Amino acid sequence: MRTYHCFWLLFWAGQPHQSFLTPLSRRTSGFPEKEKVLVLSGNSRQNLHRSKRSWMWNQFFLLEEYTGTDYQYVGKLHSDQDKGDGSLKYILSGDGAGDLFIINENTGDIQATKRLDREEKPVYILRAQAINRRTGRPVEPESEFIIKIHDINDNEPMFTKDVYNASIPEMSDVGTFVVQVTATDADDPTYGNSAKVVYSILQGQPYFSVESETGIIKTALLNMDRENREQYQVVIQAKDMGGQMGGLSGTTTVNITLTDVNDNPPRFPQSTYQFRAPESTPLDSPVGRVKANDADVDENAEIEYSITEGDGYDMFGITTDKDTQEGIITVKKALDFESKNLYILKVEATNPHVDPRFLYLGPFKDSATVRIQVEDVDEPPMFSRPAYIMEVKEDVPLNSVIGTVTAQDPDAAKNPVKYSVDRHTDMDRVFNINSGNGSIFTSKPLDRETLLWHNITVIAAEINNPKQSSRVPVFIKVLDVNDNAPEFAMFYETFVCENAKAEQLIQTLSAVDKDDSYNGHQFSFSLAPEAAGSSNFTLQDNRDNTAGIFTRKTRYNRHETSTYFLPVVIADNDYPIQSSTETVTIRVCACDHRGKMLSCNAEALIHPTGLSTGALIAILLCIIILLVTVVLFAALRRQRKKEPLIISKEDIRDNIVSYNDEGGGEEDTQAFDIGTLRNPEAIDDNKLRRDIVPETLFMPRRTATARDNTDVRDFINQRLKENDTDPTAPPYDSLATYAYEGNGSVAESLSSLESVTTDGDQDYDYLSDWGPRFKKLADMYGSMDSDRDS
């Protein structure tokens, strides 16, 4: 009976089926009443010697995601030592024991208390043991068993990306690979078809297709054109259960972009273009723009323009604007309305990047006709040459024509032109020009040796519109004529020894000429006629533009003649021949036997300059005398300053340094003659002054007037009379009353205060009562009184 029972357990446990949770007290109906029993026996890993085996398996199976209300029944543990008397106790340990899995310690029934998820944990490993309740000792070794969770299709396929982005070139062939999408299913791939995914396309047909097993998306339509449609959105579905009914599914979106290829040639929107350009348009300036349209983008839309033919092929150029892909037509040569006023060009636009696959679509270029109309403008006069070079001899007479410049109005009107010289280029006004015909002539003498080239600028302006003017440089070269005589290259001063011998060379001469000789200078040297026969020296022309001076006799005496002046005639060989007479100074000197000069009249020129001892002593004595004079003068000045300014009270001098004391007046006659200031008429008229106190009037002493200086005396008398008779004259001291001031004056007093003759009548004690501000004045007058009293 036990053998049959164990066989049933082995067969039942090996088949996948669903177990239901039942309470420990009863079983659920609708499922075989057979139990899953795990028999514990002594046949364990620790006791391999026992041959008795009551079970052949070691794992239970449960389905995940149980939705019942009761605990899910797992299986039963049973030991061979269990007699059914309740003496044994079953214990469960391991993964989830006591929490997720519980066991009836009496019967060994195992139940799952929670809902299980295979994706969270597919296998639980537990250990079971039977112990004696009374002793607490195990009756069986601990045995290990496995609870495996069987999968159900509870997870839908999930794509690795929510959105896929892909791109392919336009015009691709059918079946071109686009992108591969991948979906995964969390269910058990080894159990049933829960994890078997099949792909299908929900949106994107007929342009694209997808392989059901691999998820590879490919093109399904021929010649998809980016210019017609650039963006596509494809929806892909992944379904498990092999795509059967009832399977779960998931979707993803694939954004597919068609990239551009050069499948469109450039095309001009019009066949003819019209432009206008003034004839004064500067070179390289734009005239107009043309543009060919290209439906492609990026480098496939790049266009190169060129002028292929036309009568203005060499007059205009065209470049490509990289930003706008326009062709810019520019001027290469100066335009002239009078010469040609219409140009017809053929402009071609081509793609530099051509795809050979699409050459069958036609030539990737296009052409258009461009007509350029030249407009007339009022142009300035134009000279016949860009610059003029003229030559003139330096001895040309004044007002001689040296050349002519020519300019004319290029316009059809041919307005008359007048010429002038830009005086900023000819400040000295050496040249002038005929305003009508442009002939240039000299107005001042020329000198090649002073200035070889004259660079002037000639202005040509329209008479009707002077603002229209142009300039041209004129380079005038002054040609040389032989108008300068040759001369010595330097000043020659030499010497001859007293003991010199005849035919002895004492000096070699050379010459220069300011003129320019085309064949080179050739100078000839000779003695002047007046010295040729009577000179003590001879001159030898070396025929190489040098000459030598030789002695003519033996021995010279410096005491008889110390210096010889030898006139030499230098002539050139140009036409007309120019010559000059130069003088060589020869001094007679004493020399040693080697001919070395010892002394001569030229000693001061040859030896270093110095001062003799006598001259130094004389200079020193002069300096000493000068110093003594300065010291004596300073001493006298100091002694004079020590003298008192006022020797006595009566000796009052009319000087600025003694004005702090009253008195003096005109009695001080040592400084200057005041006779001219006296007024002899004042005695005769005996007039009273308004600026003095008329109490006591002393008769003035008559003094002889100085009859010289009559002009000064008349001037002063006139001014005094004017002030005496002026009733508005102020009663205070002024220059007009100065002749009557001071002691001895006919007016006696210096001011309205009493003079020194009446000091005794004045009482200044009241100044002491005026406070500290008048203390110094009171002390001064008080001291004067005390001095006078003493």
Side-chain angles (χ1 to χ4, degrees), residues 66-369:
Y66 171 71
T67 59
T69 58
D70 298 330
Y71 289 164
Q72 185 178 7
Y73 182 76
V74 180
K76 183 180 182 64
L77 296 179
H78 184 74
S79 175
D80 292 342
Q81 303 296 326
D82 189 358
K83 304 300 182 179
D85 54 359
S87 61
L88 295 182
K89 178 182 179 181
Y90 294 97
I91 299 175
L92 188 65
S93 63
D95 293 341
D99 178 21
L100 185 59
F101 300 100
I102 59 176
I103 188 171
N104 190 315
E105 61 182 11
N106 296 321
T107 63
D109 291 321
I110 302 173
Q111 290 178 310
T113 63
K114 296 181 180 180
R115 182 178 179 179
L116 302 177
D117 188 359
R118 188 200 68 83
E119 285 72 37
E120 292 183 1
K121 190 172 179 66
V123 175
Y124 295 87
I125 300 174
L126 294 97
R127 292 178 296 278
Q129 193 174 29
I131 62 174
N132 192 296
R133 284 180 178 274
R134 186 166 48 84
T135 63
R137 294 180 179 179
V139 297
E140 295 281 354
E142 187 178 58
S143 297
E144 183 179 275
F145 66 97
I146 297 173
I147 298 176
K148 187 175 183 181
I149 310 300
H150 271 174
D151 183 50
I152 64 173
N153 190 19
D154 60 342
N155 291 279
E156 71 275 8
M158 300 290 294
F159 283 94
T160 56
K161 295 181 180 179
D162 294 335
V163 177
Y164 288 83
N165 294 303
S167 62
I168 58 169
E170 62 174 333
M171 310 297 289
S172 297
D173 296 334
V174 175
T176 301
F177 173 84
V178 179
V179 68
Q180 183 177 13
V181 296
T182 303
T184 59
D185 196 316
D187 295 325
D188 188 0
T190 63
Y191 183 75
N193 294 327
S194 298
K196 186 177 181 181
V197 178
V198 174
Y199 300 94
S200 61
I201 184 168
L202 300 182
Q203 176 183 320
Q205 294 174 331
Y207 306 103
F208 301 95
S209 63
V210 62
E211 293 183 356
S212 60
E213 295 181 359
T214 61
I216 296 176
I217 301 175
K218 298 181 179 179
T219 58
L221 190 64
L222 185 64
N223 294 334
M224 286 190 292
D225 192 0
R226 183 199 66 84
E227 287 73 34
N228 293 332
R229 183 177 178 182
E230 184 176 6
Q231 298 288 340
Y232 295 86
Q233 190 175 73
V234 179
V235 178
I236 302 297
Q237 182 189 63
K239 191 174 183 180
D240 59 11
M241 298 297 293
Q244 298 177 6
M245 185 72 69
L248 302 178
S249 64
T251 61
T252 187
T253 300
V254 182
N255 294 322
I256 302 175
T257 303
L258 297 184
T259 59
D260 185 61
V261 297
N262 193 7
D263 59 340
N264 292 281
R267 291 290 180 263
F268 282 105
Q270 58 192 71
S271 60
T272 304
Y273 292 86
Q274 296 278 352
F275 298 109
R276 292 181 176 273
E279 62 176 334
S280 59
T281 303
L283 298 182
D284 298 326
S285 298
V287 173
R289 290 173 176 252
V290 297
K291 188 177 190 308
N293 299 325
D294 194 323
D296 299 321
V297 294
D298 299 331
E299 69 173 13
N300 296 321
E302 292 182 2
I303 302 175
E304 290 183 353
Y305 297 90
S306 61
I307 299 176
T308 57
E309 58 184 61
D311 52 4
Y313 179 80
D314 58 342
M315 296 294 296
F316 301 92
I318 188 169
T319 58
T320 302
D321 188 333
K322 298 300 182 182
D323 296 329
T324 62
Q325 295 301 316
E326 292 178 312
I328 305 174
I329 301 175
T330 58
V331 178
K332 290 174 58 178
K333 293 184 178 180
L335 302 177
D336 187 7
F337 173 83
E338 288 72 27
S339 300
K340 187 175 180 62
N341 56 18
L342 178 63
Y343 294 89
I344 300 177
L345 313 174
K346 184 178 181 180
V347 177
E348 188 175 79
T350 59
N351 280 141
H353 307 286
V354 178
D355 194 334
R357 296 177 300 170
F358 306 105
L359 291 177
Y360 67 91
L361 297 177
F364 280 77
K365 61 182 178 179
D366 194 15
S367 61
T369 301

Side-chain angles (χ1 to χ4, degrees), residues 643-653 658 661 670:
E643 296 179 357
L645 295 175
I646 302 176
I647 300 176
S648 66
K649 183 177 181 181
E650 298 298 331
D651 188 11
I652 304 300
R653 301 176 183 271
S658 59
D661 296 328
Q670 297 180 0

